[in-house]
Amino acid sequence: MRLSERVCQIVPSATLEISSRVAELKGKGADIISFSVGEPDFNTPQKIIDACTDAMNKGLTKYTQITGILPLRSAICDKLERDNNVRYSPDEIVVSTGAKQAIYNAILALVNPGDEVIVPKPCWVSYVEMIKLAGGKPVLVENLESDKFLLNVSAIRAAVTDRTRAILVNSPNNPTGAVYTEESLRELADIAVENDIFVISDEVYEKLVYGDTKHFCIASVSEEMRRHSVIVNGLSKACSMTGWRMGYSAAPREISKAISSIQGHTTSNSTSFVQYASIVALTKCGDEIEKMRQEFAKRREILLEALRGINGITCADADGAFYLMPNVSSFYGKSAGGVTIKDSADLCKYLLDEAHVAVVPGSAFMSPANVRISYSNSVQNIEKGIAQIKDALENLK
Protein backbone atom coordinates (compact mmCIF):
# COMPACT_ATOMS: atom_id res chain seq x y z
CA MET A 1 0.00 0.00 0.00
CA ARG A 2 1.30 3.44 -0.91
CA LEU A 3 1.01 6.02 1.88
CA SER A 4 1.85 9.70 1.83
CA GLU A 5 5.40 10.81 2.53
CA ARG A 6 3.93 12.97 5.26
CA VAL A 7 2.60 10.07 7.30
CA CYS A 8 5.63 7.89 6.62
CA GLN A 9 7.95 10.35 8.35
CA ILE A 10 5.93 10.40 11.58
CA VAL A 11 7.42 8.63 14.58
CA PRO A 12 4.67 6.90 16.63
CA SER A 13 4.04 8.23 20.13
CA ALA A 14 6.13 6.24 22.60
CA THR A 15 3.80 7.08 25.48
CA LEU A 16 0.78 5.71 23.64
CA GLU A 17 2.71 2.61 22.57
CA ILE A 18 3.67 1.90 26.18
CA SER A 19 0.09 2.48 27.33
CA SER A 20 -1.04 -0.07 24.74
CA ARG A 21 1.56 -2.59 25.94
CA VAL A 22 0.50 -2.07 29.56
CA ALA A 23 -3.15 -2.65 28.64
CA GLU A 24 -2.15 -5.83 26.81
CA LEU A 25 -0.24 -7.18 29.82
CA LYS A 26 -3.04 -6.28 32.22
CA GLY A 27 -5.44 -8.07 29.92
CA LYS A 28 -3.35 -11.20 30.42
CA GLY A 29 -3.60 -10.86 34.19
CA ALA A 30 -0.29 -9.11 34.96
CA ASP A 31 -0.25 -6.68 37.90
CA ILE A 32 1.36 -3.65 36.27
CA ILE A 33 2.10 -0.36 38.02
CA SER A 34 2.08 2.39 35.42
CA PHE A 35 4.15 5.53 35.77
CA SER A 36 3.85 6.20 32.05
CA VAL A 37 0.54 7.96 31.57
CA GLY A 38 0.38 11.75 31.54
CA GLU A 39 -3.01 12.17 33.16
CA PRO A 40 -4.25 12.71 36.72
CA ASP A 41 -5.64 9.63 38.48
CA PHE A 42 -8.44 11.67 40.09
CA ASN A 43 -11.95 11.74 38.69
CA THR A 44 -13.25 14.93 37.11
CA PRO A 45 -14.83 17.14 39.81
CA GLN A 46 -18.51 16.33 40.24
CA LYS A 47 -19.73 19.86 39.59
CA ILE A 48 -18.19 19.71 36.10
CA ILE A 49 -19.86 16.36 35.43
CA ASP A 50 -23.18 17.79 36.66
CA ALA A 51 -22.85 20.85 34.44
CA CYS A 52 -22.19 18.64 31.43
CA THR A 53 -25.20 16.45 32.19
CA ASP A 54 -27.37 19.53 32.67
CA ALA A 55 -26.27 20.94 29.31
CA MET A 56 -27.18 17.70 27.55
CA ASN A 57 -30.56 17.54 29.31
CA LYS A 58 -31.26 21.09 28.14
CA GLY A 59 -30.56 20.08 24.55
CA LEU A 60 -27.30 22.02 24.25
CA THR A 61 -25.95 19.34 21.94
CA LYS A 62 -25.83 21.12 18.58
CA TYR A 63 -23.12 22.82 16.57
CA THR A 64 -21.60 25.95 18.08
CA GLN A 65 -19.37 28.62 16.59
CA ILE A 66 -16.10 27.10 15.39
CA THR A 67 -14.22 29.18 17.97
CA GLY A 68 -16.48 28.13 20.85
CA ILE A 69 -19.47 29.59 22.64
CA LEU A 70 -19.10 33.22 23.70
CA PRO A 71 -19.64 32.60 27.45
CA LEU A 72 -16.73 30.13 27.46
CA ARG A 73 -14.43 32.39 25.49
CA SER A 74 -15.31 35.24 27.85
CA ALA A 75 -14.53 33.01 30.85
CA ILE A 76 -11.16 32.19 29.27
CA CYS A 77 -10.43 35.90 28.85
CA ASP A 78 -11.29 36.49 32.51
CA LYS A 79 -9.02 33.61 33.51
CA LEU A 80 -6.10 34.95 31.47
CA GLU A 81 -6.43 38.41 33.00
CA ARG A 82 -6.92 37.08 36.54
CA ASP A 83 -4.22 34.39 36.54
CA ASN A 84 -1.75 35.56 33.91
CA ASN A 85 -2.05 39.35 33.87
CA VAL A 86 -2.68 39.49 30.12
CA ARG A 87 -5.78 40.79 28.36
CA TYR A 88 -7.48 39.17 25.39
CA SER A 89 -10.87 39.74 23.80
CA PRO A 90 -13.19 36.81 23.02
CA ASP A 91 -12.45 37.07 19.30
CA GLU A 92 -8.80 36.29 20.09
CA ILE A 93 -9.72 32.95 21.69
CA VAL A 94 -10.25 29.67 19.83
CA VAL A 95 -11.61 26.72 21.80
CA SER A 96 -10.24 23.44 20.47
CA THR A 97 -10.52 19.69 20.92
CA GLY A 98 -7.77 19.55 23.53
CA ALA A 99 -4.61 21.62 23.91
CA LYS A 100 -2.89 19.27 21.45
CA GLN A 101 -5.13 20.49 18.64
CA ALA A 102 -4.55 24.09 19.72
CA ILE A 103 -0.78 23.62 19.38
CA TYR A 104 -1.08 21.98 15.98
CA ASN A 105 -3.48 24.68 14.80
CA ALA A 106 -0.95 27.34 15.83
CA ILE A 107 1.90 25.60 14.02
CA LEU A 108 -0.18 25.22 10.84
CA ALA A 109 -1.18 28.88 11.02
CA LEU A 110 2.38 30.17 11.41
CA VAL A 111 4.81 27.76 9.76
CA ASN A 112 5.51 27.43 6.05
CA PRO A 113 7.46 24.54 4.48
CA GLY A 114 11.13 25.01 5.27
CA ASP A 115 10.54 27.38 8.21
CA GLU A 116 12.44 26.56 11.38
CA VAL A 117 10.83 26.13 14.79
CA ILE A 118 13.13 26.09 17.82
CA VAL A 119 12.15 23.56 20.49
CA PRO A 120 14.01 23.20 23.79
CA LYS A 121 14.64 19.57 24.68
CA PRO A 122 13.78 17.32 26.45
CA CYS A 123 10.42 17.97 24.84
CA TRP A 124 6.99 16.41 24.56
CA VAL A 125 6.83 13.65 21.97
CA SER A 126 4.34 15.36 19.64
CA TYR A 127 6.03 18.73 19.11
CA VAL A 128 8.63 17.51 16.64
CA GLU A 129 6.11 15.46 14.67
CA MET A 130 3.64 18.35 14.46
CA ILE A 131 6.33 20.64 13.06
CA LYS A 132 7.34 18.02 10.51
CA LEU A 133 3.72 17.47 9.47
CA ALA A 134 3.44 21.21 8.79
CA GLY A 135 6.52 21.03 6.56
CA GLY A 136 8.66 22.87 9.08
CA LYS A 137 12.10 22.00 10.40
CA PRO A 138 12.42 21.31 14.14
CA VAL A 139 15.58 22.84 15.62
CA LEU A 140 16.28 21.25 18.98
CA VAL A 141 18.29 23.06 21.64
CA GLU A 142 19.28 21.39 24.89
CA ASN A 143 18.12 22.37 28.35
CA LEU A 144 20.85 21.06 30.62
CA GLU A 145 20.21 18.44 33.27
CA SER A 146 22.90 20.09 35.38
CA ASP A 147 20.71 23.21 35.39
CA LYS A 148 17.56 21.25 36.34
CA PHE A 149 16.41 21.38 32.71
CA LEU A 150 15.60 25.09 33.00
CA LEU A 151 15.32 27.20 29.86
CA ASN A 152 18.66 27.53 28.03
CA VAL A 153 18.15 31.02 26.64
CA SER A 154 21.70 31.38 25.32
CA ALA A 155 21.32 28.20 23.25
CA ILE A 156 18.03 29.46 21.85
CA ARG A 157 19.58 32.78 20.89
CA ALA A 158 22.43 30.97 19.13
CA ALA A 159 19.95 28.81 17.20
CA VAL A 160 18.02 31.71 15.67
CA THR A 161 18.48 32.10 11.91
CA ASP A 162 16.71 34.04 9.18
CA ARG A 163 14.53 30.92 8.70
CA THR A 164 13.32 30.85 12.32
CA ARG A 165 9.58 31.39 12.44
CA ALA A 166 8.67 30.33 15.97
CA ILE A 167 9.92 29.07 19.32
CA LEU A 168 7.81 26.41 21.02
CA VAL A 169 8.13 26.28 24.80
CA ASN A 170 6.33 24.30 27.49
CA SER A 171 6.30 25.40 31.13
CA PRO A 172 5.67 23.66 33.47
CA ASN A 173 7.40 21.13 31.30
CA ASN A 174 6.54 17.67 30.08
CA PRO A 175 8.68 15.55 30.50
CA THR A 176 11.05 17.21 32.98
CA GLY A 177 8.72 19.01 35.37
CA ALA A 178 10.86 22.15 35.04
CA VAL A 179 9.14 25.51 35.53
CA TYR A 180 10.84 28.24 33.51
CA THR A 181 11.72 31.36 35.49
CA GLU A 182 10.23 34.77 34.83
CA GLU A 183 13.73 36.10 34.15
CA SER A 184 14.43 33.50 31.45
CA LEU A 185 11.05 34.05 29.80
CA ARG A 186 11.62 37.80 29.73
CA GLU A 187 14.94 37.15 28.00
CA LEU A 188 13.15 34.86 25.55
CA ALA A 189 10.62 37.63 24.89
CA ASP A 190 13.47 39.96 23.97
CA ILE A 191 14.75 37.42 21.45
CA ALA A 192 11.29 36.99 19.95
CA VAL A 193 10.58 40.70 19.58
CA GLU A 194 14.06 41.57 18.31
CA ASN A 195 13.86 38.91 15.60
CA ASP A 196 10.11 39.14 14.87
CA ILE A 197 9.61 35.51 15.96
CA PHE A 198 6.48 34.03 17.49
CA VAL A 199 6.51 32.11 20.75
CA ILE A 200 4.01 29.28 21.06
CA SER A 201 3.72 28.73 24.80
CA ASP A 202 2.13 25.48 26.00
CA GLU A 203 0.94 26.19 29.54
CA VAL A 204 -1.38 23.24 30.11
CA TYR A 205 0.35 22.29 33.40
CA GLU A 206 0.13 25.85 34.70
CA LYS A 207 -1.83 25.03 37.86
CA LEU A 208 0.56 22.25 38.92
CA VAL A 209 3.48 24.09 40.52
CA TYR A 210 4.93 23.43 43.95
CA GLY A 211 6.72 25.15 46.80
CA ASP A 212 7.47 28.83 46.23
CA THR A 213 7.65 28.43 42.45
CA LYS A 214 5.38 30.62 40.34
CA HIS A 215 4.16 30.13 36.80
CA PHE A 216 4.81 33.06 34.45
CA CYS A 217 3.02 33.75 31.17
CA ILE A 218 5.34 35.17 28.51
CA ALA A 219 2.55 37.14 26.84
CA SER A 220 2.31 39.33 29.96
CA VAL A 221 5.79 40.79 29.39
CA SER A 222 4.53 43.58 27.14
CA GLU A 223 1.90 44.40 24.56
CA GLU A 224 4.49 43.84 21.85
CA MET A 225 5.25 40.38 23.23
CA ARG A 226 1.55 39.62 23.42
CA ARG A 227 1.44 40.29 19.66
CA HIS A 228 4.28 37.77 19.23
CA SER A 229 2.65 35.06 21.39
CA VAL A 230 0.24 32.18 21.00
CA ILE A 231 -0.73 30.98 24.45
CA VAL A 232 -2.08 27.43 24.63
CA ASN A 233 -3.83 25.97 27.64
CA GLY A 234 -6.56 23.51 28.52
CA LEU A 235 -8.44 21.73 31.28
CA SER A 236 -7.07 18.20 30.93
CA LYS A 237 -4.41 18.37 33.63
CA ALA A 238 -5.60 20.89 36.21
CA CYS A 239 -9.22 19.68 36.22
CA SER A 240 -8.53 16.01 35.47
CA MET A 241 -10.48 16.25 32.21
CA THR A 242 -8.13 14.40 29.84
CA GLY A 243 -10.89 12.48 28.09
CA TRP A 244 -13.10 15.53 27.68
CA ARG A 245 -10.70 17.07 25.12
CA MET A 246 -10.95 20.73 25.97
CA GLY A 247 -8.20 23.19 25.11
CA TYR A 248 -7.83 26.70 23.78
CA SER A 249 -5.44 29.20 22.25
CA ALA A 250 -5.13 32.93 22.83
CA ALA A 251 -3.44 34.93 20.10
CA PRO A 252 -3.63 38.21 18.19
CA ARG A 253 -6.83 38.53 16.18
CA GLU A 254 -5.26 37.82 12.78
CA ILE A 255 -3.68 34.58 14.01
CA SER A 256 -6.83 33.49 15.82
CA LYS A 257 -8.80 34.07 12.62
CA ALA A 258 -6.34 31.83 10.75
CA ILE A 259 -6.58 29.17 13.47
CA SER A 260 -10.37 29.30 13.24
CA SER A 261 -10.18 28.78 9.47
CA ILE A 262 -7.98 25.71 9.92
CA GLN A 263 -10.23 24.27 12.61
CA GLY A 264 -13.29 24.97 10.48
CA HIS A 265 -12.00 22.55 7.87
CA THR A 266 -10.89 19.84 10.32
CA THR A 267 -12.99 19.36 13.46
CA SER A 268 -15.22 22.46 13.56
CA ASN A 269 -16.31 23.23 17.13
CA SER A 270 -15.25 21.24 20.15
CA THR A 271 -18.01 19.22 21.84
CA SER A 272 -20.87 21.55 22.67
CA PHE A 273 -21.92 20.26 26.11
CA VAL A 274 -18.29 19.99 27.20
CA GLN A 275 -17.95 23.70 26.48
CA TYR A 276 -20.75 24.50 28.91
CA ALA A 277 -19.17 22.27 31.56
CA SER A 278 -15.84 24.00 30.98
CA ILE A 279 -17.25 27.32 32.12
CA VAL A 280 -17.83 25.70 35.52
CA ALA A 281 -14.30 24.23 35.44
CA LEU A 282 -12.82 27.69 34.87
CA THR A 283 -14.95 29.56 37.39
CA LYS A 284 -16.01 27.24 40.22
CA CYS A 285 -13.39 24.52 40.74
CA GLY A 286 -10.54 26.31 42.46
CA ASP A 287 -10.84 24.26 45.66
CA GLU A 288 -10.83 20.94 43.81
CA ILE A 289 -7.81 21.98 41.73
CA GLU A 290 -5.92 22.99 44.85
CA LYS A 291 -6.63 19.66 46.58
CA MET A 292 -5.23 17.78 43.59
CA ARG A 293 -2.20 20.07 43.47
CA GLN A 294 -1.45 19.45 47.15
CA GLU A 295 -1.66 15.68 46.64
CA PHE A 296 0.71 15.87 43.66
CA ALA A 297 3.12 17.94 45.76
CA LYS A 298 3.20 15.21 48.42
CA ARG A 299 3.74 12.47 45.83
CA ARG A 300 6.54 14.45 44.20
CA GLU A 301 8.52 14.57 47.44
CA ILE A 302 8.03 10.84 48.05
CA LEU A 303 9.08 9.90 44.51
CA LEU A 304 12.10 12.19 44.46
CA GLU A 305 13.40 10.80 47.74
CA ALA A 306 12.80 7.21 46.62
CA LEU A 307 14.60 7.69 43.30
CA ARG A 308 17.58 9.29 44.97
CA GLY A 309 17.77 6.26 47.24
CA ILE A 310 18.55 3.98 44.28
CA ASN A 311 22.25 3.48 43.64
CA GLY A 312 23.09 4.50 40.08
CA ILE A 313 20.23 6.98 39.62
CA THR A 314 20.55 10.74 39.75
CA CYS A 315 17.45 12.92 39.53
CA ALA A 316 17.13 16.66 39.04
CA ASP A 317 14.61 18.44 41.21
CA ALA A 318 11.51 19.75 39.43
CA ASP A 319 8.84 22.17 40.55
CA GLY A 320 5.91 21.49 38.24
CA ALA A 321 3.64 19.16 36.26
CA PHE A 322 3.67 15.57 37.60
CA TYR A 323 6.89 14.17 36.14
CA LEU A 324 10.47 13.53 37.16
CA MET A 325 13.24 12.74 34.68
CA PRO A 326 15.89 10.58 36.41
CA ASN A 327 19.21 9.85 34.70
CA VAL A 328 19.60 6.08 34.29
CA SER A 329 22.58 5.97 31.92
CA SER A 330 24.78 4.25 34.51
CA PHE A 331 22.83 1.04 33.81
CA TYR A 332 23.57 1.04 30.07
CA GLY A 333 25.83 -1.85 29.17
CA LYS A 334 24.75 -3.95 32.15
CA SER A 335 22.95 -7.29 31.85
CA ALA A 336 20.63 -9.67 33.67
CA GLY A 337 19.11 -12.98 32.59
CA GLY A 338 20.67 -12.78 29.16
CA VAL A 339 19.29 -9.26 28.55
CA THR A 340 21.75 -6.41 27.94
CA ILE A 341 20.61 -2.84 28.45
CA LYS A 342 21.83 -0.70 25.55
CA ASP A 343 19.65 2.40 26.01
CA SER A 344 16.60 3.87 27.73
CA ALA A 345 14.18 1.91 25.57
CA ASP A 346 15.86 -1.36 26.59
CA LEU A 347 15.77 -0.34 30.24
CA CYS A 348 12.06 0.50 30.07
CA LYS A 349 11.31 -2.86 28.45
CA TYR A 350 13.38 -4.62 31.12
CA LEU A 351 11.53 -2.82 33.93
CA LEU A 352 8.17 -3.65 32.40
CA ASP A 353 9.05 -7.33 31.98
CA GLU A 354 10.98 -7.85 35.22
CA ALA A 355 9.57 -5.29 37.66
CA HIS A 356 6.09 -4.99 36.13
CA VAL A 357 6.49 -1.21 36.21
CA ALA A 358 5.93 1.02 33.18
CA VAL A 359 8.03 4.15 32.63
CA VAL A 360 8.76 6.02 29.38
CA PRO A 361 12.18 6.04 27.67
CA GLY A 362 13.84 9.43 27.59
CA SER A 363 14.71 8.88 23.94
CA ALA A 364 11.04 9.58 23.16
CA PHE A 365 11.61 13.09 24.53
CA MET A 366 15.03 13.60 22.88
CA SER A 367 16.80 12.80 26.16
CA PRO A 368 18.41 9.35 25.80
CA ALA A 369 20.15 9.31 29.19
CA ASN A 370 16.87 9.52 31.07
CA VAL A 371 13.45 7.98 31.65
CA ARG A 372 10.25 9.84 32.49
CA ILE A 373 8.30 8.82 35.57
CA SER A 374 4.83 10.20 36.21
CA TYR A 375 3.63 10.54 39.78
CA SER A 376 -0.03 10.69 38.78
CA ASN A 377 -0.50 7.53 40.82
CA SER A 378 -1.24 6.74 44.46
CA VAL A 379 1.42 7.01 47.17
CA GLN A 380 1.02 3.28 47.77
CA ASN A 381 1.72 2.48 44.11
CA ILE A 382 4.63 4.94 43.97
CA GLU A 383 6.31 3.29 46.97
CA LYS A 384 5.60 -0.22 45.70
CA GLY A 385 6.63 0.54 42.13
CA ILE A 386 9.92 2.21 43.03
CA ALA A 387 10.79 -0.70 45.35
CA GLN A 388 10.22 -3.09 42.43
CA ILE A 389 12.34 -0.90 40.14
CA LYS A 390 15.12 -0.87 42.72
CA ASP A 391 15.11 -4.66 43.01
CA ALA A 392 15.22 -5.09 39.21
CA LEU A 393 18.05 -2.59 38.79
CA GLU A 394 20.12 -4.27 41.51
CA ASN A 395 20.04 -7.45 39.42
CA LEU A 396 21.83 -5.72 36.55
CA LYS A 397 25.55 -6.47 36.56
Side-chain angles (χ1 to χ4, degrees), residues 79 97 114 142 168 172 178 183 202 246 248 350 363:
K79 178 262 175 234
T97 308
E142 187 171 8
L168 175 50
E183 179 184 8
D202 178 357
M246 175 54 59
Y248 60 86
Y350 171 75
S363 53

Short mmCIF file of all heavy atoms in Angstrom, two decimals, residues 79 97 114 142 168 172 178 183 202 246 248 350 363:
data_model
loop_
_atom_site.label_atom_id
_atom_site.label_comp_id
_atom_site.label_asym_id
_atom_site.label_seq_id
_atom_site.Cartn_x
_atom_site.Cartn_y
_atom_site.Cartn_z
N LYS A 79 -10.06 34.43 32.90
CA LYS A 79 -9.02 33.61 33.51
C LYS A 79 -7.63 34.13 33.17
O LYS A 79 -6.73 34.22 34.02
CB LYS A 79 -9.18 32.15 33.05
CG LYS A 79 -8.12 31.19 33.58
CD LYS A 79 -7.04 30.97 32.55
CE LYS A 79 -5.93 30.12 33.16
NZ LYS A 79 -4.61 30.72 33.06
N THR A 97 -10.32 21.04 20.39
CA THR A 97 -10.52 19.69 20.92
C THR A 97 -9.23 19.25 21.61
O THR A 97 -8.46 18.45 21.09
CB THR A 97 -10.92 18.73 19.79
OG1 THR A 97 -12.02 19.28 19.09
CG2 THR A 97 -11.33 17.37 20.35
N GLY A 114 9.76 24.53 5.19
CA GLY A 114 11.13 25.01 5.27
C GLY A 114 11.40 25.96 6.42
O GLY A 114 12.57 26.22 6.77
N GLU A 142 19.28 22.22 23.68
CA GLU A 142 19.28 21.39 24.89
C GLU A 142 19.18 22.22 26.16
O GLU A 142 19.99 23.11 26.42
CB GLU A 142 20.54 20.54 24.94
CG GLU A 142 20.54 19.53 26.08
CD GLU A 142 21.69 18.53 25.99
OE1 GLU A 142 22.56 18.71 25.13
OE2 GLU A 142 21.69 17.59 26.79
N LEU A 168 8.88 27.15 20.32
CA LEU A 168 7.81 26.41 21.02
C LEU A 168 8.31 26.01 22.39
O LEU A 168 9.25 25.22 22.52
CB LEU A 168 7.42 25.19 20.20
CG LEU A 168 6.39 24.20 20.78
CD1 LEU A 168 5.14 24.91 21.27
CD2 LEU A 168 6.05 23.14 19.75
N PRO A 172 4.86 24.77 33.00
CA PRO A 172 5.67 23.66 33.47
C PRO A 172 5.83 22.60 32.38
O PRO A 172 4.94 22.41 31.57
CB PRO A 172 4.91 23.11 34.67
CG PRO A 172 4.11 24.29 35.16
CD PRO A 172 3.71 25.02 33.92
N ALA A 178 10.23 20.85 34.82
CA ALA A 178 10.86 22.15 35.04
C ALA A 178 9.83 23.28 34.84
O ALA A 178 8.98 23.21 33.96
CB ALA A 178 12.02 22.34 34.09
N GLU A 183 12.56 35.45 34.75
CA GLU A 183 13.73 36.10 34.15
C GLU A 183 14.06 35.48 32.79
O GLU A 183 14.30 36.20 31.80
CB GLU A 183 14.94 35.97 35.08
CG GLU A 183 16.21 36.60 34.52
CD GLU A 183 17.41 36.37 35.43
OE1 GLU A 183 17.28 35.61 36.41
OE2 GLU A 183 18.48 36.95 35.15
N ASP A 202 3.03 26.52 25.50
CA ASP A 202 2.13 25.48 26.00
C ASP A 202 2.14 25.54 27.52
O ASP A 202 3.13 25.18 28.16
CB ASP A 202 2.61 24.12 25.48
CG ASP A 202 1.77 22.95 25.98
OD1 ASP A 202 0.83 23.18 26.77
OD2 ASP A 202 2.05 21.80 25.59
N MET A 246 -10.62 19.32 25.94
CA MET A 246 -10.95 20.73 25.97
C MET A 246 -9.68 21.56 26.12
O MET A 246 -8.99 21.47 27.13
CB MET A 246 -11.91 21.03 27.14
CG MET A 246 -12.22 22.51 27.35
SD MET A 246 -12.84 23.34 25.86
CE MET A 246 -14.30 22.39 25.51
N TYR A 248 -7.59 25.41 24.43
CA TYR A 248 -7.83 26.70 23.78
C TYR A 248 -6.51 27.39 23.48
O TYR A 248 -5.47 27.09 24.07
CB TYR A 248 -8.72 27.61 24.63
CG TYR A 248 -8.16 27.95 26.01
CD1 TYR A 248 -7.29 29.02 26.20
CD2 TYR A 248 -8.53 27.20 27.13
CE1 TYR A 248 -6.80 29.34 27.46
CE2 TYR A 248 -8.05 27.50 28.40
CZ TYR A 248 -7.19 28.58 28.56
OH TYR A 248 -6.70 28.88 29.80
N TYR A 350 12.92 -3.75 30.03
CA TYR A 350 13.38 -4.62 31.12
C TYR A 350 12.55 -4.38 32.39
O TYR A 350 12.11 -5.34 33.05
CB TYR A 350 14.85 -4.34 31.39
CG TYR A 350 15.41 -5.01 32.63
CD1 TYR A 350 15.69 -6.38 32.65
CD2 TYR A 350 15.66 -4.26 33.78
CE1 TYR A 350 16.19 -6.98 33.79
CE2 TYR A 350 16.17 -4.85 34.92
CZ TYR A 350 16.43 -6.22 34.93
OH TYR A 350 16.93 -6.82 36.05
N SER A 363 14.47 8.69 25.37
CA SER A 363 14.71 8.88 23.94
C SER A 363 13.47 9.40 23.24
O SER A 363 13.56 10.11 22.22
CB SER A 363 15.17 7.57 23.30
OG SER A 363 14.27 6.51 23.59
#
